[in-house]
Amino acid sequence: MTQFKFKTDIAPSQITPESIYEKRREFMITSGVLGTALLLNPWTSARASVAISDYKPNVVNTGEALTSEKDATTYNNFYEFGTGKTDPLQNAQNLNTDDWKITVSGECDKPGEYALEDLVKPFDIEERIYRLRCVEAWSMVIPWLGVPMASILKSLQPTSKAKYVAFKTLLDPEQMPGQKRSVLQWPYEEGLRIDEAMNPLTLFAVGMYGKTMPNQNGAPVRLVVPWKYGFKSIKSIVSIEFTEEQPQTSWNISGPNEYGFYSNVNPEVNHPRWSQKKERRIGEIFKQKTRMFNGYETEVAHLYKDMNLKTYF
Ligand code: MTE
């Protein structure tokens, strides 16, 4: 049973809705070990996107107070649904995430079109409490649910030429009215170096706060790359491409001096129009110091050991 314990003294009941917590306890009692529970189908999928009914507890925890679920689901950036913070909540509710498909292409041995359920296996889902630091100098602490990106990428068998992974969001201006305006180049695209994508922190997230991912937060599946500015954490992913060359990214195209490919959280490199030294945790009044790599230095600093992070911002 110890594998269900959280690493800090935050009890699961404090961060998981009571009903789910109770269900999970019941599940633990009846199944005993995770393996035997494979017989139970946790995919009680009401809307055919990823419904969450059980998951492994977090292995990484900031130990900080969580941002309220209300703040995290009402104050969003998702330009496909408008540029205002409450636009995604208002405009994303009709996004159809049924039968979601992801196209896998490029330098790998398993290209093709995958149903989301074929890539994300229910018993691989973990809860991870990560800070997300937006480039706009605010941040949140969110209990995400997802699968380590490394396990998905490995299953697609990248070739030795795969140096980067490029991701794209759905392109559908009818469903995503923000795409009718050219505020960014659509579809939204992002990319990571393959070792960044394979780092154990990188999450392919399908839920938060014990529930299926809300549309405004990037349903049915998004990245969470906690040591990078929030815009690297691309939402509503429909394409994964393994590439030899560094892929282009929407924000870098829109402002090459402001948004680099790496975009690691770095208090020493200011955005050209504002300082990155401090941040405001949503829901709190006072600002706090921003930490290098958003506080995940131990886990990721080795990825950039010989790089000048002012040049590669
Ligand atoms: N993904 C897409 N497709 N479109 C976007 O506009 N905004 C990014 C990122 N992912 C964005 C996106 C930015 S700027 C941030 S800060 C985070 O999503 C915000 O995630 P949240 O709304 O869940 O807090």
Side-chain angles (χ1 to χ4, degrees):
M1 291 298 179
T2 46
Q3 73 266 35
F4 287 97
K5 282 232 172 76
F6 283 69
K7 279 203 169 162
T8 70
D9 52 9
I10 302 172
S13 56
Q14 282 175 268
I15 60 162
T16 308
E18 206 64 31
S19 58
I20 292 176
Y21 175 59
E22 286 309 324
K23 201 163 152 195
R24 185 148 33 129
R25 270 165 48 92
E26 198 180 293
F27 175 85
M28 283 160 61
I29 291 159
T30 53
S31 64
V33 286
L34 201 61
T36 56
L38 283 167
L39 295 170
L40 306 170
N41 179 11
W43 292 84
T44 44
S45 176
R47 298 183 53 233
S49 64
V50 180
I52 311 289
S53 67
D54 195 46
Y55 45 82
K56 296 183 228 171
N58 71 301
V59 289
V60 179
N61 191 338
T62 67
E64 295 156 294
L66 297 183
T67 298
S68 77
E69 183 179 354
K70 183 156 187 269
D71 282 342
T73 56
T74 56
Y75 187 87
N76 298 104
N77 273 337
F78 200 167
Y79 279 22
E80 285 84 341
F81 295 103
T83 53
K85 300 297 177 209
T86 54
D87 290 347
L89 173 71
Q90 271 162 27
N91 302 330
Q93 297 318 315
N94 293 329
L95 174 68
N96 181 4
T97 57
D98 292 351
D99 303 319
W100 195 264
K101 300 281 192 299
I102 297 179
T103 304
V104 174
S105 62
E107 292 295 338
C108 69
D109 289 340
K110 302 263 179 201
E113 194 185 61
Y114 291 81
L116 179 58
E117 308 85 273
D118 294 335
L119 289 179
V120 178
K121 299 293 178 207
F123 280 103
D124 292 337
I125 295 176
E126 297 178 11
E127 179 167 64
R128 301 235 182 145
I129 297 172
Y130 283 162
R131 252 175 254 116
L132 193 73
R133 165 59 158 87
C134 183
V135 75
E136 296 163 305
W138 48 263
S139 59
M140 301 198 192
V141 180
I142 294 176
W144 300 102
L145 298 175
V147 175
M149 192 69 206
S151 67
I152 292 173
L153 297 185
K154 278 182 203 150
S155 75
L156 300 171
Q157 299 177 11
T159 69
S160 59
K161 284 189 182 164
K163 302 279 186 291
Y164 297 87
V165 192
F167 302 91
K168 286 192 177 78
T169 296
L170 177 70
L171 178 65
D172 185 346
E174 290 313 309
Q175 289 203 78
M176 296 179 147
Q179 290 176 337
K180 291 178 181 166
R181 294 171 54 208
S182 48
V183 278
L184 284 176
Q185 179 173 297
W186 310 113
Y188 195 100
E189 6 181 13
E190 257 309 333
L192 297 171
R193 227 170 50 195
I194 195 150
D195 57 343
E196 298 180 313
M198 294 277 202
N199 182 275
L201 287 183
T202 308
L203 205 63
F204 204 50
V206 293
M208 57 199 288
Y209 297 88
K211 300 171 188 162
T212 303
M213 189 68 77
N215 286 354
Q216 64 271 26
N217 291 88
V221 65
R222 67 174 291 174
L223 279 191
V224 185
V225 194
W227 71 96
K228 292 179 180 280
Y229 290 119
F231 67 86
K232 299 293 286 184
S233 293
I234 180 173
K235 297 176 169 182
S236 305
I237 296 170
V238 294
S239 160
I240 299 176
E241 183 184 4
F242 295 91
T243 65
E244 205 172 352
E245 305 296 329
Q246 182 177 302
Q248 59 176 17
T249 68
S250 293
W251 281 102
N252 184 250
I253 294 168
S254 100
N257 301 327
E258 304 196 349
Y259 310 104
F261 176 79
Y262 284 92
S263 287
N264 292 314
V265 173
N266 188 343
E268 301 310 317
V269 177
N270 290 331
H271 185 280
R273 289 183 280 139
W274 60 83
S275 163
Q276 293 292 22
K277 287 203 185 308
K278 290 191 172 172
E279 68 200 61
R280 195 173 72 83
R281 199 56 55 77
I282 296 297
E284 294 178 13
I285 296 165
F286 299 108
K287 289 187 177 171
Q288 51 185 281
K289 279 188 180 163
T290 288
R291 288 190 273 163
M292 189 63 201
F293 299 117
N294 201 20
Y296 301 97
E297 200 161 4
T298 318
E299 291 90 344
V300 301
H302 67 276
L303 297 171
Y304 312 102
K305 136 166 108 37
D306 297 319
M307 288 173 67
N308 178 337
L309 295 179
K310 292 200 160 102
T311 312
Y312 297 99
F313 62 97

